[in-house]
Amino acid sequence: MTTTSKGLEKAPIPPRSSQSRLVGSVSRIRELGLFIVLILIVAIVSIQVPRFLSPSNIEQILLSIAILAIVAVGETLVVLTRNVDLSVGSMVGLTAFFVANLFKQQPGTNLVLAILLGCAVGLVLGAINGLIVTVGRVPAIIVTLGTLYVYRGLDFVIAGGSQVSASDVPDSFLNLATARIGLFGVGVPALIIFAAAIALIFAYLLHSTRSGRQLYAIGSNPEAARLVGIRSDLLVFGTFMLSGLLCGFAGVLWGARFATVDATAATGLELQVVAAVVVGGVNIFGGSGTIIGAMLGAIVLGTIDDALNLLKLSQFWLQAIDGAAILVAVTLDSFITRWLQRTLVVRRQR
Amino acid sequence: GGGSTGGSSSGGNNSGGTGGGQPLNITFLPKAINNPYFDSAASGGKSAAGELKGTFKQVGPSSASASEQVTWITNLTQQHVSAIVVSANDPNALAPALKQAMSQGVKVVSYDSDVAPDARQVFVNQANAEDIGRTEVQILGKQINYTGQIAILSAASTATNQNTWIKYMQDELSKPQYKGMSLVKTVYGNDDDQTSFNDTLSLLQAYPNLKGIISPTTVGIAAAARAIESVNKGGKVALTGLGTPNQMRKYVKDGTVQQFALWDPGKLGYLAYYAAAALVQGKITGKEGDSFDAGTLGKKTIGANGAILLGPPTIFSKDNIDQFNF
Amino acid sequence: MIKERAKALVNSWDAFLVVLLLLAIVYGSFRSPYFLTAFNFSALTRDLMEKAIMALPMTLIIIAGEIDLSVASVLGLTSVLLGVLWNAGIPLWLCIVIALLVGAIAGLLNGLLVTRLGLPSLVVTLGTLALYRGLAYVIIGDQAVSSFPADFTSFGFGSVPGTLIPWPFVVFVILALLFLALLHRSWVGRQIYAIGNNQEAARFAGIHVARIKLLLFVLSGLLAALAGIVFTSRFASARPDNALGFELDVVTIVLLGGVNIFGGRGTLIGVILSLFIIGALRNALGLTNISGDIQNIVVGILLIFSVLGPNVVQRIREALARRQMVAGGSPKKV
Amino acid sequence: MTQPSEPIAELIDISKQFGTTQALRGVDLALYPGEIHALVGENGAGKSTLVKLLGGIHRPDTGIIRINGTETELHSPAQSQHLGIAVIHQEPTLFPDLNVAENVFMGRHPRDRFGRVDWKQMYQEVERLLASLDVHLSVYAPVRGLPVADQQLVEIAKALSLDARILIMDEPTAALSPHEVEKLFTITKQLRQRGVAILFVSHRLEEIAELADKLTIMRDGVRVITAPASELTSEEIIRHMVGRELTSLFPKGEAQIGEIVLEVRHLTRKGVFRDVSFQLRHGEILGFSGLVGAGRTEVARVLFGIDRADEGEILIDNQPVRISSPKAAMRHGLAYVPEDRRQQGLVMDFTIAANMTLPIVRQVSKIGGVDRQREHSIATNYSQQLRIRSTGIQQLVKALSGGNQQKVVLAKWLITNPSILILDEPTRGIDIGAKAEVHRIISELAAKGLAIILISSELPEVLAMSDRVLVMHEGHVTGIFERDEADQERVMFAATGQTNREK
Ligand SMILES: Nc1ncnc2c1ncn2[C@@H]1O[C@H](COP(=O)(O)OP(=O)(O)OP(=O)(O)O)[C@@H](O)[C@H]1O
Ligand SMILES: Nc1ncnc2c1ncn2[C@@H]1O[C@H](COP(=O)(O)OP(=O)(O)OP(=O)(O)O)[C@@H](O)[C@H]1O
Ligand SMILES: [Mg+2]
Ligand SMILES: [Mg+2]
């Protein structure tokens, strides 16, 4: 079905200049800027605390953001289409409780079944969001702000004051979060592998499928997307479903990792996720950004937190510096990106 | 001004108090609802209500917030409940609203976490703060042979009871037998599982030689236990504090935690309900020396500052944990 | 002219909100005998005032196409500052002035980052949400100040003598009138709408886009500080976690008020109505001891249905129109 | 030209109403393979509406559409595309965040045998396509920031890549330079040769004369006449369009040329234009000519305080001035009608009145707020002067046709009562009647002593309207010609940068 301009007079392909290619890699420059910020942080901190770069610490950083990263993948998809999903924290919390409680109520539940059920719950919640957005024509921020309250409320209704503790769930479930998988002869925590695999899969889909590219188109100019015949509603609905699905899976992992689950699990996660996504250079108004960028964003934020901890700052300082770090990171990133653009692409080629 | 306000409010009580026969319409207002600890307390309150043929209700914010508690206090005041039993997120923020409630004839009992003394009639104290603080340090000291770095994982940095306990812990640590132990850091998990969990991991990363952690909060100790276990440091880093047996059962059995303490929150709620009922029925006014019958807990007497003490906490270990279910 | 306006009002969002408010009140009075009392309305109103004060500039900021998520943190920061300064023996009026100043500076920083560096406000204020809240913790540590003079605390908790009108409500009414005039009457308001609708065209029309946005952020910081003072006074307590999470409530109020999150559309009247709708509903539910979570479910559903409902009605009407007469209206959606 | 027997697309008795506006009334139109059908008419005549019906964007209220002889309901753009209809819309509908190549192939990316997007092939295809248009545009460049002209070229490439049997172009040349127009025409003719049916909307009569086989003229939503293009003279076309005789298209009047009001010395903005110097006098119209991308807009932006100059001086009334913002520029008596009315000129959700008074909203305010009465009278006045076709000044500008929107922008700046008026493509996309009016207004303004810079890519317009013509090429001034020495050849020579012998 590939359409070509075969009918037109065959013109020779003009020579490609490397400069013109660079213009096209503006999106890559975005990530480069953030990457430099990351390197700067790492360099400065590891001079102070050499242990910062030890494998165990790196593992700790990645572990601390793994669940967040999975949620951020879904959020990125949604944000790319000029929508937003603020209900992720509530969806994670609800599925986390649902799955943990399942083990508590029905002790013999099969692990795989529980995971699937958790994902299914997330999928349904995401589908509800998607339906109201696409069929109901309600702006996503309103819908998901509403379901942020509603899903959390449901969580409270289901949980009441009860709590699931570590002793209520089987070890096989808890092992999801602590297991290690051998990879190149090293034991890598399963959580990190889950997150990395999900990120890579979706990065690939976004880059190499038509639907993936169409998400960018929708976010970039919804009206034009309609004009070129993109089925925007279907795709937007799909991204909300995926966001729900990933939240469902993240909820399962959440239960496994923290073991104690009550109705407040993952409260406020949405702000962290949105922070990671936007620090990662995904345009909050849609149309540009990548999964890799969002992952970098999460890593940068996780690294900052870890660095502050290793520098043994009083905890009272943590939040303030965390906030300042976000500002510095995005400011630096914006300067670096602009500088790179200016030096690499002196003038647009004509 | 505190004394005079207290006087006038108790004067209001006297004029309004018509003795026994008052309907018992008592509402619990915990720091946050949907918290297992307060839920246990509520079940105690409920059984007391059953014994006294009163009504029991529990309302409150979904996350520990003083301002939402104030909203609830005004709500309850307008419904003219006969008593509010409150665990304060902030001792002073609640005071004006509670005083207003008292001025309208509503009795106020604080439990678990006190409010300003002039804003309630009695305080049902779960345990002596000094005992709790010192006992925690003693337990941990024994476990780590009185040597090494330790840290504290608290709830909110502004939680009054936590801060009082921490103060006594520090005092205890300054005694000579603890000279080999050093308190390296106090962190605040805000009674949130994830925060407490991550705080613990951060402690373990930043202080690789850490020997022990005290977490005098039920949320914190459970999250810390899971965190220690998740990095396979169970048994290498000692953990103690205040926790519920149900949450801690797994970790006690697998050796991550040897000992921890808690009073029975059910009994706390039970006692608080009885105290509120006694106030409503005019059996007590909140004066030091007043005494009342507290059902299965026997006769209780009001001590200094209008406080009623529940009794010493229970220390849980492998040997006794299966006898408890809360 | 007048007829036209009346007609526009009947069809408008604001009219819809008025109906909603009336429904909430009717519902409340059926639910609880304590609802329709002066004392209750006084309490209900008092409870809303910090959010109400912050919602005023938030409305303008969102109409201008930006957002300020840091308001609740500014509230916390100024509250703590007030306490610490007061504890240090500084006269109260000076504490208040300093707190307001710091609030304005906090807003200024937001504004500068947004206008000078061109960073999206969502990201900037997400950062300062953490920064300002963090500074509150840095300043006060594990302390809390509550030793405020009675005169000060009676402002937050007291009423205009002889009435049940809370003092903070008086402050809010004055501010609301000022903001109404600013947004709906003055040229600044016109420029704010223009910026929210088409920032570039506004710039080409000689509007100082950056300056106006800066002004709005400063205003937002200033009023968040004022809300902080009211809050501190009402609870007689300066704590770093004061008003934690209020930003979400404020945004919810503004959005339910019909303000377009992408800027350019909405009215202040709508926001004020929505404020009282949410307040009345929560109060009515609270009076019957329905817990906060269920209240949240109700508010969440209300938020969604307030937009979904009219959409559905509109679509049904369009579909019917198309079916009935072939020469129907435009099927183009808004 | 032999008449093919069967029309490939047929519109029969089509009507379409928007609210109270009857955009189309019983219109018939037939497109034949291998025929270029031109559609002309004043602004708001309903041309774009017709185009959108064929594009599947709007559906007719009544009437029948036949494609290939079968009655069809075009209910979505996708379906329309599927039936072989490619549309270049009047306003570019591109994805600013995506690069040129993806814009061309969005939704139809070439795929390899695993179903993955074949990026390499896509870039090659688009490069070939652009080369065939003789357009030098990087396929990797994001569309955001491309000048309107380049965006239009991307639109054209997109439509051509569809390889459609019906190609509809709604004012494709409005933003193009003569060279690009020529290239487009060549390709259009090639397509005609291959039997594509082409519908072509334009306001430029000379283009129609060159290209069209058949002509349909519309007025107020009604088809006035359809005839072979050769049978109608320009005068007849104009008469059918406007419904009256048009006295003159370029009514350049005599104006008293006065003192120097604006002087620009060695103005430079790095990487964009260099060493631009000129003088402008009261009553003078200074035309700015040049190819697309020559830097004329950039100069205007600097003059109006939107961008900063790196070097050089601006003098107004012989005083050096610093213009740091559009507001400052307005204070110095400047006004600027930008080239992109949707992005830069209008607030779409505002009424006509609010748009017109936006730059002076502060001045029409009293203590009590904006003086609605004064606003109303000002707007009504200008709306009448410029003959803006609307339901009233309270109508939202987004519901106006392109030409009427442009008039609103013009009014908005005339209201500021400027002494120097910069017009950037003021007649782009404006119908011939309105164009004559705009020209008349420009002349009148000059006669009143206003100094005018007229940036235009339409050579006849610049030549006819200007007292002097400044020509730019790649950021340099390559010539300034007096009215009598400026002719098509000289200006084009300078515009293509072939020596600046006239300096
Ligand atoms: N979406 C819409 N809603 C309401 N009115 C519309 C809409 N689109 C077009 N109109 C109106 O329909 C009429 C025809 O507009 P159309 O855009 O077809 O004109 P046009 O001939 O293309 O003009 P121009 O030469 O200026 O592009 C105009 O009066 C316009 O205001
Ligand atoms: N936003 C932009 N980013 C990068 N380059 C730009 C941008 N806008 C214009 N340019 C470049 O600046 C130069 C001058 O463009 P400008 O739009 O001023 O030309 P112009 O002579 O006004 O042409 P037009 O007839 O299209 O208005 C061109 O090389 C153009 O490609
Ligand atoms: Mg048109
Ligand atoms: Mg230009």
Side-chain angles (χ1 to χ4, degrees), chain A residues 78-83 211-226 230-237 239 285-287, chain D residues 95 97-98 106:
Chain A
V78 174
V79 168
L80 279 180
T81 63
R82 201 179 279 189
N83 286 293
S211 302
R213 304 314 300 168
Q214 289 176 347
L215 294 187
Y216 285 91
I218 295 169
S220 195
N221 187 347
E223 192 58 24
R226 214 166 61 87
I230 293 174
R231 289 194 285 181
S232 305
D233 282 351
L234 200 66
L235 285 171
V236 169
F237 178 70
T239 61
F285 302 113
Chain D
F95 307 104
D97 299 287
L98 302 180
M106 180 46 69

Short mmCIF file of all heavy atoms in Angstrom, two decimals, chain A residues 78-83 211-226 230-237 239 285-287, chain D residues 95 97-98 106:
data_model
loop_
_atom_site.label_atom_id
_atom_site.label_comp_id
_atom_site.label_asym_id
_atom_site.label_seq_id
_atom_site.Cartn_x
_atom_site.Cartn_y
_atom_site.Cartn_z
N VAL A 78 0.09 8.99 26.16
CA VAL A 78 -1.08 9.84 26.27
C VAL A 78 -0.71 11.31 26.00
O VAL A 78 -1.38 12.00 25.24
CB VAL A 78 -1.71 9.70 27.67
CG1 VAL A 78 -2.84 10.69 27.85
CG2 VAL A 78 -2.22 8.30 27.89
N VAL A 79 0.39 11.73 26.60
CA VAL A 79 0.77 13.15 26.47
C VAL A 79 1.12 13.48 25.02
O VAL A 79 0.82 14.58 24.55
CB VAL A 79 1.95 13.47 27.41
CG1 VAL A 79 2.55 14.82 27.10
CG2 VAL A 79 1.49 13.45 28.86
N LEU A 80 1.70 12.53 24.32
CA LEU A 80 2.05 12.79 22.91
C LEU A 80 0.84 13.18 22.09
O LEU A 80 0.94 13.95 21.14
CB LEU A 80 2.70 11.55 22.29
CG LEU A 80 4.18 11.36 22.59
CD1 LEU A 80 4.68 10.09 21.91
CD2 LEU A 80 4.99 12.56 22.12
N THR A 81 -0.33 12.65 22.46
CA THR A 81 -1.53 12.96 21.68
C THR A 81 -2.24 14.21 22.18
O THR A 81 -3.41 14.42 21.89
CB THR A 81 -2.54 11.80 21.74
OG1 THR A 81 -2.96 11.65 23.11
CG2 THR A 81 -1.95 10.52 21.25
N ARG A 82 -1.52 15.02 22.93
CA ARG A 82 -2.07 16.27 23.46
C ARG A 82 -3.18 15.99 24.48
O ARG A 82 -4.17 16.69 24.55
CB ARG A 82 -2.60 17.17 22.33
CG ARG A 82 -2.70 18.63 22.77
CD ARG A 82 -3.20 19.52 21.67
NE ARG A 82 -2.13 19.89 20.74
CZ ARG A 82 -2.28 20.80 19.79
NH1 ARG A 82 -3.43 21.43 19.66
NH2 ARG A 82 -1.30 21.06 18.97
N ASN A 83 -3.01 14.90 25.22
CA ASN A 83 -3.90 14.62 26.32
C ASN A 83 -3.04 14.44 27.56
O ASN A 83 -1.82 14.59 27.48
CB ASN A 83 -4.70 13.35 26.04
CG ASN A 83 -5.79 13.59 25.01
OD1 ASN A 83 -6.73 14.32 25.26
ND2 ASN A 83 -5.62 13.00 23.84
N SER A 211 0.92 3.54 13.43
CA SER A 211 0.10 4.05 14.53
C SER A 211 0.93 4.90 15.48
O SER A 211 0.48 5.93 15.97
CB SER A 211 -0.53 2.90 15.31
OG SER A 211 -1.30 2.12 14.44
N GLY A 212 2.16 4.45 15.72
CA GLY A 212 3.04 5.21 16.59
C GLY A 212 3.26 6.61 16.05
O GLY A 212 3.16 7.61 16.76
N ARG A 213 3.55 6.69 14.77
CA ARG A 213 3.79 8.00 14.16
C ARG A 213 2.52 8.85 14.19
O ARG A 213 2.57 10.06 14.32
CB ARG A 213 4.27 7.87 12.71
CG ARG A 213 5.50 7.03 12.49
CD ARG A 213 6.61 7.32 13.47
NE ARG A 213 7.07 8.71 13.42
CZ ARG A 213 7.86 9.26 14.32
NH1 ARG A 213 8.26 8.57 15.37
NH2 ARG A 213 8.22 10.51 14.21
N GLN A 214 1.40 8.18 14.04
CA GLN A 214 0.14 8.93 14.02
C GLN A 214 -0.15 9.58 15.37
O GLN A 214 -0.79 10.62 15.43
CB GLN A 214 -1.00 8.01 13.59
CG GLN A 214 -0.90 7.67 12.11
CD GLN A 214 -1.95 6.68 11.66
OE1 GLN A 214 -2.62 6.06 12.47
NE2 GLN A 214 -2.08 6.52 10.36
N LEU A 215 0.38 8.97 16.45
CA LEU A 215 0.19 9.60 17.75
C LEU A 215 0.82 11.00 17.75
O LEU A 215 0.27 11.95 18.28
CB LEU A 215 0.82 8.76 18.86
CG LEU A 215 0.19 7.40 19.12
CD1 LEU A 215 0.82 6.76 20.36
CD2 LEU A 215 -1.30 7.51 19.31
N TYR A 216 2.00 11.08 17.14
CA TYR A 216 2.66 12.38 17.06
C TYR A 216 1.82 13.36 16.26
O TYR A 216 1.68 14.53 16.61
CB TYR A 216 4.04 12.25 16.41
CG TYR A 216 5.08 11.63 17.29
CD1 TYR A 216 5.30 10.27 17.29
CD2 TYR A 216 5.86 12.42 18.13
CE1 TYR A 216 6.26 9.70 18.11
CE2 TYR A 216 6.82 11.86 18.95
CZ TYR A 216 7.01 10.50 18.93
OH TYR A 216 7.95 9.95 19.76
N ALA A 217 1.27 12.85 15.16
CA ALA A 217 0.48 13.73 14.30
C ALA A 217 -0.72 14.28 15.05
O ALA A 217 -1.04 15.47 14.98
CB ALA A 217 0.04 12.97 13.05
N ILE A 218 -1.38 13.39 15.79
CA ILE A 218 -2.57 13.83 16.53
C ILE A 218 -2.21 14.94 17.51
O ILE A 218 -2.89 15.95 17.61
CB ILE A 218 -3.20 12.64 17.29
CG1 ILE A 218 -3.72 11.61 16.29
CG2 ILE A 218 -4.32 13.12 18.20
CD1 ILE A 218 -4.10 10.31 16.95
N GLY A 219 -1.10 14.73 18.22
CA GLY A 219 -0.71 15.72 19.21
C GLY A 219 -0.24 17.01 18.59
O GLY A 219 -0.41 18.10 19.14
N SER A 220 0.35 16.90 17.41
CA SER A 220 0.93 18.07 16.78
C SER A 220 -0.13 18.98 16.19
O SER A 220 -0.02 20.21 16.25
CB SER A 220 1.91 17.62 15.70
OG SER A 220 2.72 18.68 15.32
N ASN A 221 -1.14 18.40 15.61
CA ASN A 221 -2.21 19.18 15.01
C ASN A 221 -3.44 18.30 14.83
O ASN A 221 -3.61 17.65 13.80
CB ASN A 221 -1.75 19.75 13.65
CG ASN A 221 -2.77 20.71 13.07
OD1 ASN A 221 -3.91 20.78 13.52
ND2 ASN A 221 -2.36 21.44 12.05
N PRO A 222 -4.29 18.27 15.85
CA PRO A 222 -5.43 17.34 15.84
C PRO A 222 -6.32 17.54 14.61
O PRO A 222 -6.80 16.57 14.03
CB PRO A 222 -6.20 17.70 17.12
CG PRO A 222 -5.24 18.44 17.97
CD PRO A 222 -4.27 19.10 17.05
N GLU A 223 -6.52 18.79 14.23
CA GLU A 223 -7.40 19.08 13.10
C GLU A 223 -6.82 18.49 11.82
O GLU A 223 -7.50 17.83 11.04
CB GLU A 223 -7.56 20.60 12.98
CG GLU A 223 -8.65 21.04 12.06
CD GLU A 223 -10.02 20.50 12.42
OE1 GLU A 223 -10.25 20.16 13.61
OE2 GLU A 223 -10.85 20.37 11.52
N ALA A 224 -5.52 18.73 11.64
CA ALA A 224 -4.86 18.21 10.44
C ALA A 224 -4.86 16.69 10.45
O ALA A 224 -4.97 16.05 9.40
CB ALA A 224 -3.44 18.74 10.36
N ALA A 225 -4.74 16.11 11.62
CA ALA A 225 -4.75 14.65 11.71
C ALA A 225 -6.05 14.11 11.15
O ALA A 225 -6.08 13.11 10.44
CB ALA A 225 -4.57 14.21 13.16
N ARG A 226 -7.13 14.81 11.46
CA ARG A 226 -8.42 14.41 10.94
C ARG A 226 -8.43 14.53 9.41
O ARG A 226 -8.95 13.67 8.70
CB ARG A 226 -9.49 15.32 11.54
CG ARG A 226 -10.82 14.68 11.81
CD ARG A 226 -11.65 15.59 12.70
NE ARG A 226 -11.91 16.90 12.08
CZ ARG A 226 -12.93 17.14 11.26
NH1 ARG A 226 -13.77 16.18 10.97
NH2 ARG A 226 -13.11 18.33 10.74
N ILE A 230 -6.54 10.25 9.77
CA ILE A 230 -6.12 9.44 10.92
C ILE A 230 -7.30 9.22 11.83
O ILE A 230 -8.07 10.14 12.11
CB ILE A 230 -4.99 10.16 11.68
CG1 ILE A 230 -3.74 10.21 10.80
CG2 ILE A 230 -4.69 9.47 12.99
CD1 ILE A 230 -2.63 11.02 11.40
N ARG A 231 -7.45 7.98 12.29
CA ARG A 231 -8.57 7.71 13.19
C ARG A 231 -8.16 8.09 14.61
O ARG A 231 -7.80 7.25 15.45
CB ARG A 231 -8.98 6.26 13.09
CG ARG A 231 -9.66 6.00 11.74
CD ARG A 231 -10.36 4.69 11.74
NE ARG A 231 -9.38 3.61 11.63
CZ ARG A 231 -9.72 2.33 11.59
NH1 ARG A 231 -10.98 1.99 11.66
NH2 ARG A 231 -8.80 1.41 11.49
N SER A 232 -8.23 9.39 14.86
CA SER A 232 -7.70 9.93 16.11
C SER A 232 -8.38 9.33 17.34
O SER A 232 -7.71 8.94 18.30
CB SER A 232 -7.90 11.45 16.15
OG SER A 232 -7.33 12.02 15.02
N ASP A 233 -9.69 9.25 17.29
CA ASP A 233 -10.41 8.79 18.47
C ASP A 233 -9.96 7.40 18.88
O ASP A 233 -9.72 7.13 20.05
CB ASP A 233 -11.92 8.81 18.22
CG ASP A 233 -12.47 10.21 18.31
OD1 ASP A 233 -11.70 11.10 18.74
OD2 ASP A 233 -13.63 10.43 17.96
N LEU A 234 -9.84 6.56 17.88
CA LEU A 234 -9.45 5.18 18.16
C LEU A 234 -8.07 5.15 18.80
O LEU A 234 -7.83 4.45 19.79
CB LEU A 234 -9.45 4.40 16.85
CG LEU A 234 -9.54 2.89 17.00
CD1 LEU A 234 -10.88 2.51 17.57
CD2 LEU A 234 -9.29 2.23 15.67
N LEU A 235 -7.16 5.92 18.23
CA LEU A 235 -5.79 5.91 18.73
C LEU A 235 -5.71 6.51 20.13
O LEU A 235 -5.01 5.99 21.00
CB LEU A 235 -4.87 6.66 17.77
CG LEU A 235 -4.56 5.89 16.49
CD1 LEU A 235 -3.83 6.76 15.49
CD2 LEU A 235 -3.72 4.66 16.80
N VAL A 236 -6.42 7.61 20.33
CA VAL A 236 -6.39 8.23 21.66
C VAL A 236 -6.98 7.28 22.69
O VAL A 236 -6.43 7.08 23.78
CB VAL A 236 -7.17 9.57 21.65
CG1 VAL A 236 -7.37 10.08 23.05
CG2 VAL A 236 -6.41 10.60 20.82
N PHE A 237 -8.07 6.64 22.31
CA PHE A 237 -8.66 5.64 23.18
C PHE A 237 -7.63 4.56 23.50
O PHE A 237 -7.47 4.15 24.65
CB PHE A 237 -9.89 5.04 22.49
CG PHE A 237 -10.57 3.96 23.26
CD1 PHE A 237 -11.26 4.25 24.42
CD2 PHE A 237 -10.50 2.64 22.85
CE1 PHE A 237 -11.88 3.25 25.15
CE2 PHE A 237 -11.11 1.63 23.57
CZ PHE A 237 -11.81 1.94 24.72
N THR A 239 -4.38 4.83 23.57
CA THR A 239 -3.32 5.27 24.48
C THR A 239 -3.82 5.27 25.92
O THR A 239 -3.08 4.91 26.83
CB THR A 239 -2.80 6.67 24.14
OG1 THR A 239 -3.86 7.61 24.24
CG2 THR A 239 -2.18 6.73 22.76
N PHE A 285 2.20 19.70 25.60
CA PHE A 285 1.12 20.01 24.68
C PHE A 285 1.12 19.09 23.46
O PHE A 285 0.53 19.39 22.44
CB PHE A 285 1.18 21.47 24.25
CG PHE A 285 1.12 22.40 25.43
CD1 PHE A 285 2.21 23.16 25.77
CD2 PHE A 285 -0.02 22.47 26.21
CE1 PHE A 285 2.16 24.00 26.87
CE2 PHE A 285 -0.07 23.30 27.31
CZ PHE A 285 1.02 24.07 27.65
N GLY A 286 1.82 17.97 23.61
CA GLY A 286 1.74 16.94 22.59
C GLY A 286 2.65 17.15 21.40
O GLY A 286 3.23 18.21 21.19
N GLY A 287 2.76 16.10 20.61
CA GLY A 287 3.44 16.22 19.33
C GLY A 287 4.91 15.92 19.31
O GLY A 287 5.45 15.56 18.28
N PHE D 95 1.70 19.23 10.43
CA PHE D 95 2.07 18.86 11.78
C PHE D 95 3.38 19.56 12.13
O PHE D 95 4.45 19.11 11.71
CB PHE D 95 2.22 17.35 11.90
CG PHE D 95 1.01 16.62 11.41
CD1 PHE D 95 1.01 15.98 10.17
CD2 PHE D 95 -0.16 16.61 12.16
CE1 PHE D 95 -0.11 15.33 9.72
CE2 PHE D 95 -1.29 15.97 11.70
CZ PHE D 95 -1.27 15.32 10.48
N ASP D 97 5.35 19.71 14.55
CA ASP D 97 6.44 19.04 15.26
C ASP D 97 7.15 18.00 14.39
O ASP D 97 8.24 17.56 14.73
CB ASP D 97 5.89 18.33 16.50
CG ASP D 97 5.27 19.31 17.47
OD1 ASP D 97 6.03 20.05 18.10
OD2 ASP D 97 4.03 19.36 17.57
N LEU D 98 6.52 17.63 13.32
CA LEU D 98 7.10 16.56 12.51
C LEU D 98 7.85 17.15 11.34
O LEU D 98 7.61 18.28 10.93
CB LEU D 98 5.99 15.64 12.02
CG LEU D 98 5.18 15.01 13.16
CD1 LEU D 98 4.09 14.11 12.62
CD2 LEU D 98 6.09 14.22 14.09
N MET D 106 2.29 11.23 6.26
CA MET D 106 1.60 10.87 7.49
C MET D 106 0.41 9.97 7.23
O MET D 106 -0.44 10.26 6.40
CB MET D 106 1.16 12.14 8.23
CG MET D 106 0.42 11.87 9.53
SD MET D 106 1.18 10.62 10.59
CE MET D 106 2.68 11.43 11.14
#
